[in-house]
């Protein structure tokens, strides 16, 4: 896995000089990424206009919070998968 080779690949940078992330807090957290298909920023008074609309998220079968233990287990596994991919991503040499 390579992180941003189109940006950093030709500059001879080391892996630790690359910033890799799955999601950011601008409208969607990592928990939101596995809990919602669409953003729900209604409560902040921005009429859901803030943050990106293209979050490439998946709610694991239930939109938002749930008591379903199998959905919560899948979400937890997805978060761990995202973190593992992020930690294993290397910038090209």
């Amino acid at each position: 896995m390579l992180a941003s080779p189109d940006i950093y690949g030709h500059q001879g940078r080391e892996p630790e000089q690359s910033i890799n992330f799955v999601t950011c807090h601008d409208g969607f957290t990592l928990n939101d990424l596995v809990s919602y298909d669409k953003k729900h920023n209604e409560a902040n008074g921005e009429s859901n206009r803030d943050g990106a609309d293209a979050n490439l998220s998946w709610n694991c079968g239930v939109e938002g919070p749930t008591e379903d233990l199998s959905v919560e287990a899948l979400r937890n596994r997805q978060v761990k998968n995202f973190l593992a991919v992020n930690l294993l991503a290397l910038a090209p040499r």
Side-chain angles (χ1 to χ4, degrees):
M1 290 178 275
L2 297 176
S4 307
D6 55 325
I7 298 172
Y8 299 109
H10 62 285
Q11 297 177 9
R13 295 186 178 194
E14 297 296 319
E16 65 272 8
Q17 294 173 310
S18 175
I19 297 174
N20 307 313
F21 64 95
V22 174
T23 188
C24 63
H25 59 81
D26 296 342
F28 243 51
T29 65
L30 183 56
N31 187 62
D32 291 340
L33 191 67
V34 299
S35 300
Y36 298 97
D37 277 345
K38 298 177 183 173
K39 66 180 179 171
H40 294 272
N41 292 343
E42 296 88 3
N44 65 7
E46 293 292 324
S47 300
N48 209 31
R49 293 173 302 192
D50 59 329
D53 290 325
N55 292 301
L56 302 176
S57 60
W58 177 49
N59 64 17
C60 297
V62 177
E63 188 77 359
T66 182
E67 300 287 327
D68 188 325
L69 297 180
S70 63
V71 171
E72 282 299 314
L74 177 57
R75 289 177 178 175
N76 287 333
R77 190 166 57 245
Q78 290 290 75
V79 166
K80 290 175 185 178
N81 290 341
F82 282 129
L83 292 174
V85 167
N86 195 39
L87 292 173
L88 294 173
L90 295 175
R93 291 190 173 245

